[in-house]
């Protein structure tokens, strides 16, 4: 009976070790920190074309890939140019038109994060 218990514990430990190694290889953190998310650029990088701005605080970001995912989502919106930084969990969004707060929040939410603070205005640029 004791030998059976020892064998079962050894098998469970081996399965757990295999799972841990696979998870580490794939990037076991929030969003796969070992895979690089490419930054999506914007074609118009002239700040003069973006007279409006918004600044958001984003909850849930834990790594640079998180920040890139949020930045890519915001840059995918028409007439926006976003810069997202993991330090401070902030997104600065330049806009060609007055910011659509609901659309900005939705883009962040659909990426899996949450807007915890929002401010609009020229000073937010």
């Amino acid at each position: 009976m004791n030998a059976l218990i020892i064998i079962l514990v050894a098998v469970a430990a081996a399965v757990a070790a295999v799972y841990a190694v696979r998870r580490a290889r794939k990037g076991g953190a929030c969003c796969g920190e070992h895979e690089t998310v490419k930054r999506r650029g914007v074609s118009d990088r002239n700040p003069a074309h973006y007279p409006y701005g918004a600044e958001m605080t984003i909850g849930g970001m834990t790594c640079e890939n998180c920040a890139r995912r949020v930045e890519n989502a915001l840059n995918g919106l028409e007439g926006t140019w976003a810069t997202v930084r993991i330090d401070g969990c902030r997104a600065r969004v330049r806009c060609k038109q007055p910011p659509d707060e609901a659309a900005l929040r939705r883009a962040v939410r659909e990426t899996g994060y949450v807007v915890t603070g929002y401010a609009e205005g020229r000073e937010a640029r």
Side-chain angles (χ1 to χ4, degrees):
M1 184 67 169
N2 287 340
L4 181 61
I5 292 173
I6 292 172
I7 290 172
L8 289 174
V9 169
V11 168
V15 169
V18 168
Y19 176 76
V21 168
R22 284 185 182 166
R23 185 170 169 97
R25 284 184 182 160
K26 289 183 179 176
C30 62
C31 60
E33 68 192 28
H34 298 291
E35 62 183 65
T36 302
V37 175
K38 293 192 186 230
R39 184 165 273 135
R40 175 188 209 172
V42 293
S43 57
D44 184 0
R45 291 185 153 278
N46 184 343
H49 295 164
Y50 298 89
Y52 304 97
E55 186 169 311
M56 298 183 290
T57 306
I58 312 294
M61 295 191 308
T62 59
C63 68
E64 287 296 325
N65 277 339
C66 294
R68 276 189 225 103
R69 289 178 200 281
V70 171
E71 186 174 293
N72 289 345
L74 293 169
N75 284 339
L77 298 174
E78 184 68 31
T80 62
W81 178 13
T83 305
V84 180
R85 299 283 178 244
I86 189 66
D87 53 321
C89 296
R90 296 221 177 256
R92 291 185 178 195
V93 185
R94 293 179 168 118
C95 302
K96 292 183 176 183
Q97 302 296 321
D100 181 352
E101 181 178 355
L104 295 173
R105 286 180 179 270
R106 185 173 37 257
V108 172
R109 185 178 61 246
E110 288 175 355
T111 308
Y113 305 93
V114 62
V115 176
T116 58
Y118 181 87
E120 246 178 63
R122 290 182 158 269
E123 68 281 353
R125 294 186 13 213

